[in-house]
Amino acid sequence: HYMDEATHCNRLAFIYGGRLIARGTPTELRDTFGPGATLEDVFVGLEERSRQAGSEASRPGHPAGTGGPASPA
């Protein structure tokens, strides 16, 4: 879906790489990234966090599946 259409939804879930990375109302999700954040900003930021967490998890000695981004309730 286009992010401008998503602002009209009651609740959203963002999925990246087949994993749920965040969920909440549009306002809750925007608030996690500060004033003026758009849902596009939120998704791009969450995607980057997930990518970085995935890179860290693939390093030798790093426990896989830990240290990922927190998902707003």
Side-chain angles (χ1 to χ4, degrees):
H1 292 279
Y2 295 104
M3 291 299 167
D4 58 336
E5 293 175 3
T7 62
H8 303 291
C9 295
N10 292 325
R11 298 206 35 97
L12 301 171
F14 287 117
I15 298 171
Y16 175 75
R19 300 186 72 183
L20 178 66
I21 58 173
R23 66 177 178 221
T25 67
T27 300
E28 290 169 341
L29 293 167
R30 284 190 305 264
D31 286 350
T32 64
F33 279 81
T38 66
L39 289 176
E40 183 74 22
D41 297 333
V42 172
F43 181 73
V44 170
L46 291 169
E47 180 183 34
E48 182 61 29
R49 286 183 190 174
S50 294
R51 190 175 312 124
Q52 288 173 353
S55 295
E56 291 172 8
S58 65
R59 291 182 191 157
H62 188 281
T66 62
S71 296

